[in-house]
């Protein structure tokens, strides 16, 4: 019961925060709400016994990504943004589609069923430590996707340089 | 700890070595044409290696079967064509960077990983690798506003479709407890959960995001703007490569994960295919810019190829693969001529620039005529053969009326393809353009047209190759 209440709190708060983020007029306010959202996601990870992920969530998202957002905002003209209307004129059409999709998703959720949970138990993870467990999974089981992800990061670096460098000779 | 079997991944490893060495060589070579040559030679070597490296490795995450080999062949030929036709085009626009080739090869690695993905995580990462590289390539001419706009539009909509795909993957994982494509398929069949609503929702998300990647209506909105704004060489590259890669995962995921649900997804795909053919062919009639026209034509061709998936049979799948190979040749052929005209400073992208081309350049006009016939699907060209096999597969699957609809739409398509032919042969030219067919672009055009005719009169070996490659 307590589990459900805690999860319910996180779920409801996270969805409301996400809605607040996209509806604020001032982008600075959006960012602050997003920060709170990131902390809630980290809380949810903790609740799932995933301490390592929770720490990473805070370091990467609340730390690094947030700073990136702030940098970009510094480059924008905030006063101009504040005067403009928040949404394009067509937003009611978008809203209709969102509501319809939400109805579709809610209907489907009642057909909910869950597969057998994986064969790794929480007690096993506690035995070796969470970081070790994640590391082993990442470098043994998921080695190939891990390497592909490194290529994606390389593309991101090359792409950023190509698009942003002042002049390429 | 044992080392995983690396033989099946050798082509991808070779491509990665190629791309990393490109990054270094780029520092020392001033003449960027050599980088193009290096890319072409490297990719040719990888094509050879593809045929010798088969097997399943990384616990089923990476599957190098004959299905993926066929698609990898398409991707590698595509990257070779793109590397060749880019040189002069980019040089004229002062955008011939070594990084351009790096990104081309990176995108190709992404496609190869997608074609071989045996696991949804690998599939997603391959897709992102391909997509990220193509976003940047679309915006590579930084001084051109249209190119930048194309990149931003492509990026935003691509990010949406990736998010939808991830949602679908997470639903599948929640329901079946696995990310392995084969295991999910077995689990669904074993538990008999084909009527589970959440599973159907996951299916819808998969169709949406794959539909975006193949540019099927109603997820096609980005296509005309992106194809129009991107550099023409990149438009040629991404109207075949990413589309074929998306069809590769379309086939694999739907035939292995969802075969039990084929009743549901065929019913979803039929209206999508009809709408795609309708939007592609009808809106193309109104285009006066050849790149936009080819963008809509590429939407229409995605609609035809979808018929192969709708047939939900091995015959349909091999017809779809065969069509992608044929589409590679005829589409690149059309774009080579667009690029050759683009390279003349005087003329632009308007279809009126093709007026009277037969007077000044009879051979080039004749080659374009064959390609336009092939895109329409007139015998004895490859386009006819490709469509024939697709329609046959649909008829054999019991959707004869759908084949009739497709034939009607391809008759409509004759109007805008043959309009170009009419302009070339029956109108007086406004401006004289002199095209040379003895440079690399011209030679490539001749090779491509030869292939189009060769497959058209002798399709058997290619059909057999595709038939061997079924899942």
């Amino acid at each position: 019961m307590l589990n459900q209440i805690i999860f319910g709190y996180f779920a409801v708060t996270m969805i409301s925060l996400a809605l607040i983020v996209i509806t604020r007029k001032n982008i600075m306010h959006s960012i602050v709400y997003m920060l709170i959202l990131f902390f809630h996601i980290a809380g949810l990870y903790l609740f799932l016994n995933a301490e390592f992920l929770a720490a990473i969530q805070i370091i990467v998202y609340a730390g690094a990504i947030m700073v990136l957002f702030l940098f970009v905002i510094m480059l924008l003209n905030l006063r101009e943004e504040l005067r403009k209307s928040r949404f394009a004129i067509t937003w009611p059409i978008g809203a209709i589609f969102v509501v319809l999709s939400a109805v579709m998703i809610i209907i489907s959720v009642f057909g909910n069923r869950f597969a057998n949970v994986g064969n790794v138990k929480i007690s096993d993870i506690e035995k070796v430590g969470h970081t070790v467990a994640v590391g082993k999974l990442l470098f043994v089981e998921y080695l190939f996707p891990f390497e592909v992800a490194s290529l994606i990061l390389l593309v991101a670096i090359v792409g950023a340089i190509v698009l942003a460098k002042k002049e390429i000779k | 700890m044992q080392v995983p079997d690396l033989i099946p991944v050798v082509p991808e490893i070779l491509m990665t070595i190629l791309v990393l060495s490109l990054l270094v060589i780029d520092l020392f070579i001033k003449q960027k044409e050599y980088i193009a040559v290096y890319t072409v030679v490297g990719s040719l070597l990888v094509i050879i290696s593809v045929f010798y490296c088969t097997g399943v490795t990384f616990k089923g995450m990476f599957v190098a079967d004959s299905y993926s080999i066929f698609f990898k062949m398409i991707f590698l030929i595509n990257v070779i064509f793109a590397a060749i036709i880019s040189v002069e085009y980019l040089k004229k626009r002062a955008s011939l960077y070594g990084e351009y080739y790096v990104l081309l090869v990176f995108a190709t690695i992404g496609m190869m990983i997608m074609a071989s993905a045996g696991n949804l995580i690998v599939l997603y990462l391959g897709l992102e690798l391909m997509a990220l590289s193509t976003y940047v390539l679309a915006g590579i001419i930084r001084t051109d506003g249209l190119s930048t706009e194309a990149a931003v539009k492509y990026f935003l909509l691509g990010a949406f479709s990736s998010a939808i795909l991830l949602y679908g993957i997470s639903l599948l994982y929640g329901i079946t407890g696995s990310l392995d494509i084969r295991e999910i398929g077995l689990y669904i069949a074993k538990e008999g959960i084909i009527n589970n609503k959440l599973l159907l929702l996951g299916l819808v998300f998969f169709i949406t995001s794959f539909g975006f990647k193949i540019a099927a209506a109603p997820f096609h909105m980005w296509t005309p703007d992106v194809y129009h704004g991107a550099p023409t060489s990149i438009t040629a590259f991404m109207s075949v490569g990413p589309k074929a890669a998306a069809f590769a995962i379309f086939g694999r995921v739907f035939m292995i994960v969802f075969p039990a649900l084929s009743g549901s997804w065929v019913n979803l795909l039929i209206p999508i295919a009809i709408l795609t053919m309708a939007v592609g062919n009808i809106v193309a009639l109104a285009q006066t810019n050849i790149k936009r026209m080819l963008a809509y034509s590429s939407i229409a061709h995605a609609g035809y190829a979808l018929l192969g998936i709708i047939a939900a049979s091995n015959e349909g799948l091999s017809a779809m693969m065969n069509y992608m190979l044929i589409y590679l040749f005829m589409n690149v052929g059309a774009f080579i001529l667009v690029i050759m005209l683009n390279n003349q400073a005087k003329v632009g992208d308007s279809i009126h620039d093709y007026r009277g081309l037969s007077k000044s350049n009879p051979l080039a006009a004749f080659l374009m005529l064959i390609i336009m016939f092939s895109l329409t699907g007139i015998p004895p060209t490859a386009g006819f053969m490709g469509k024939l096999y697709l329609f046959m597969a649909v008829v054999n699957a019991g959707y004869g009326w759908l084949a009739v609809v497709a034939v009607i739409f391809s008759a409509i398509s004759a109007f805008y393809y043959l309009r170009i032919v009419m302009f070339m042969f029956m109108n007086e030219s406004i401006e004289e353009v002199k095209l040379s067919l003895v440079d690399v672009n011209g030679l490539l055009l001749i090779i491509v047209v030869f292939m189009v005719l060769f497959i058209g009169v002798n399709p058997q070996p290619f059909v057999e190759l595709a038939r061997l490659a079924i899942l």
Side-chain angles (χ1 to χ4, degrees), chain B residues 81 329 442-452:
Chain B
F81 285 167
F329 288 116
L443 288 177
L444 198 63
L445 183 61
I446 292 167
I447 293 171
V448 165
V449 170
F450 172 75
M451 283 309 289
V452 165

mmCIF file of all heavy atoms in Angstrom, chain B residues 81 329 442-452:
data_model
loop_
_atom_site.group_PDB
_atom_site.id
_atom_site.type_symbol
_atom_site.label_atom_id
_atom_site.label_comp_id
_atom_site.label_asym_id
_atom_site.label_seq_id
_atom_site.Cartn_x
_atom_site.Cartn_y
_atom_site.Cartn_z
ATOM 1 N N PHE B 81 27.784 5.803 -54.376
ATOM 2 C CA PHE B 81 27.180 6.772 -55.298
ATOM 3 C C PHE B 81 27.204 8.176 -54.695
ATOM 4 O O PHE B 81 27.585 9.151 -55.347
ATOM 5 C CB PHE B 81 25.730 6.382 -55.609
ATOM 6 C CG PHE B 81 25.599 5.221 -56.543
ATOM 7 C CD1 PHE B 81 24.390 4.574 -56.710
ATOM 8 C CD2 PHE B 81 26.687 4.775 -57.272
ATOM 9 C CE1 PHE B 81 24.264 3.499 -57.577
ATOM 10 C CE2 PHE B 81 26.577 3.706 -58.142
ATOM 11 C CZ PHE B 81 25.358 3.062 -58.291
ATOM 12 N N PHE B 329 18.893 2.414 -57.832
ATOM 13 C CA PHE B 329 19.503 2.787 -59.112
ATOM 14 C C PHE B 329 18.715 3.896 -59.801
ATOM 15 O O PHE B 329 19.281 4.882 -60.255
ATOM 16 C CB PHE B 329 19.607 1.550 -60.026
ATOM 17 C CG PHE B 329 20.657 0.593 -59.570
ATOM 18 C CD1 PHE B 329 20.332 -0.672 -59.144
ATOM 19 C CD2 PHE B 329 21.986 0.982 -59.546
ATOM 20 C CE1 PHE B 329 21.309 -1.544 -58.704
ATOM 21 C CE2 PHE B 329 22.965 0.108 -59.113
ATOM 22 C CZ PHE B 329 22.622 -1.158 -58.693
ATOM 23 N N GLY B 442 28.903 11.782 -65.219
ATOM 24 C CA GLY B 442 28.358 11.243 -66.461
ATOM 25 C C GLY B 442 28.560 9.741 -66.556
ATOM 26 O O GLY B 442 27.641 8.994 -66.913
ATOM 27 N N LEU B 443 29.767 9.297 -66.189
ATOM 28 C CA LEU B 443 30.037 7.855 -66.246
ATOM 29 C C LEU B 443 29.129 7.095 -65.282
ATOM 30 O O LEU B 443 28.593 6.040 -65.616
ATOM 31 C CB LEU B 443 31.502 7.588 -65.904
ATOM 32 C CG LEU B 443 32.489 8.007 -66.985
ATOM 33 C CD1 LEU B 443 33.913 7.778 -66.523
ATOM 34 C CD2 LEU B 443 32.220 7.233 -68.262
ATOM 35 N N LEU B 444 28.947 7.682 -64.094
ATOM 36 C CA LEU B 444 28.084 7.038 -63.100
ATOM 37 C C LEU B 444 26.660 6.953 -63.631
ATOM 38 O O LEU B 444 25.984 5.928 -63.462
ATOM 39 C CB LEU B 444 28.128 7.847 -61.802
ATOM 40 C CG LEU B 444 27.655 7.100 -60.565
ATOM 41 C CD1 LEU B 444 28.567 5.935 -60.294
ATOM 42 C CD2 LEU B 444 27.610 8.020 -59.370
ATOM 43 N N LEU B 445 26.218 8.030 -64.295
ATOM 44 C CA LEU B 445 24.868 8.032 -64.856
ATOM 45 C C LEU B 445 24.710 6.905 -65.861
ATOM 46 O O LEU B 445 23.711 6.181 -65.862
ATOM 47 C CB LEU B 445 24.595 9.385 -65.528
ATOM 48 C CG LEU B 445 23.201 9.584 -66.118
ATOM 49 C CD1 LEU B 445 22.151 9.484 -65.041
ATOM 50 C CD2 LEU B 445 23.089 10.914 -66.820
ATOM 51 N N ILE B 446 25.743 6.723 -66.707
ATOM 52 C CA ILE B 446 25.677 5.657 -67.710
ATOM 53 C C ILE B 446 25.620 4.285 -67.031
ATOM 54 O O ILE B 446 24.815 3.422 -67.390
ATOM 55 C CB ILE B 446 26.878 5.765 -68.668
ATOM 56 C CG1 ILE B 446 26.723 7.033 -69.508
ATOM 57 C CG2 ILE B 446 26.962 4.544 -69.571
ATOM 58 C CD1 ILE B 446 27.953 7.427 -70.263
ATOM 59 N N ILE B 447 26.445 4.115 -65.986
ATOM 60 C CA ILE B 447 26.429 2.835 -65.266
ATOM 61 C C ILE B 447 25.055 2.567 -64.664
ATOM 62 O O ILE B 447 24.500 1.466 -64.771
ATOM 63 C CB ILE B 447 27.503 2.836 -64.152
ATOM 64 C CG1 ILE B 447 28.893 2.873 -64.770
ATOM 65 C CG2 ILE B 447 27.348 1.617 -63.262
ATOM 66 C CD1 ILE B 447 29.990 3.085 -63.760
ATOM 67 N N VAL B 448 24.483 3.603 -64.037
ATOM 68 C CA VAL B 448 23.199 3.431 -63.360
ATOM 69 C C VAL B 448 22.112 3.085 -64.368
ATOM 70 O O VAL B 448 21.308 2.173 -64.147
ATOM 71 C CB VAL B 448 22.847 4.729 -62.594
ATOM 72 C CG1 VAL B 448 21.398 4.725 -62.199
ATOM 73 C CG2 VAL B 448 23.714 4.871 -61.370
ATOM 74 N N VAL B 449 22.115 3.792 -65.515
ATOM 75 C CA VAL B 449 21.106 3.504 -66.533
ATOM 76 C C VAL B 449 21.291 2.091 -67.073
ATOM 77 O O VAL B 449 20.325 1.357 -67.297
ATOM 78 C CB VAL B 449 21.166 4.549 -67.659
ATOM 79 C CG1 VAL B 449 20.296 4.133 -68.832
ATOM 80 C CG2 VAL B 449 20.729 5.891 -67.139
ATOM 81 N N PHE B 450 22.554 1.689 -67.228
ATOM 82 C CA PHE B 450 22.814 0.322 -67.662
ATOM 83 C C PHE B 450 22.203 -0.670 -66.670
ATOM 84 O O PHE B 450 21.551 -1.644 -67.063
ATOM 85 C CB PHE B 450 24.324 0.086 -67.792
ATOM 86 C CG PHE B 450 24.670 -1.348 -68.054
ATOM 87 C CD1 PHE B 450 24.471 -1.894 -69.308
ATOM 88 C CD2 PHE B 450 25.166 -2.153 -67.039
ATOM 89 C CE1 PHE B 450 24.768 -3.223 -69.547
ATOM 90 C CE2 PHE B 450 25.452 -3.474 -67.266
ATOM 91 C CZ PHE B 450 25.261 -4.013 -68.525
ATOM 92 N N MET B 451 22.418 -0.411 -65.372
ATOM 93 C CA MET B 451 21.872 -1.311 -64.355
ATOM 94 C C MET B 451 20.346 -1.353 -64.434
ATOM 95 O O MET B 451 19.732 -2.414 -64.309
ATOM 96 C CB MET B 451 22.297 -0.871 -62.951
ATOM 97 C CG MET B 451 23.714 -1.225 -62.579
ATOM 98 S SD MET B 451 24.105 -2.953 -62.847
ATOM 99 C CE MET B 451 23.165 -3.724 -61.545
ATOM 100 N N VAL B 452 19.728 -0.176 -64.630
ATOM 101 C CA VAL B 452 18.263 -0.111 -64.701
ATOM 102 C C VAL B 452 17.762 -0.971 -65.853
ATOM 103 O O VAL B 452 16.806 -1.739 -65.708
ATOM 104 C CB VAL B 452 17.811 1.360 -64.851
ATOM 105 C CG1 VAL B 452 16.360 1.426 -65.285
ATOM 106 C CG2 VAL B 452 17.993 2.102 -63.539
#
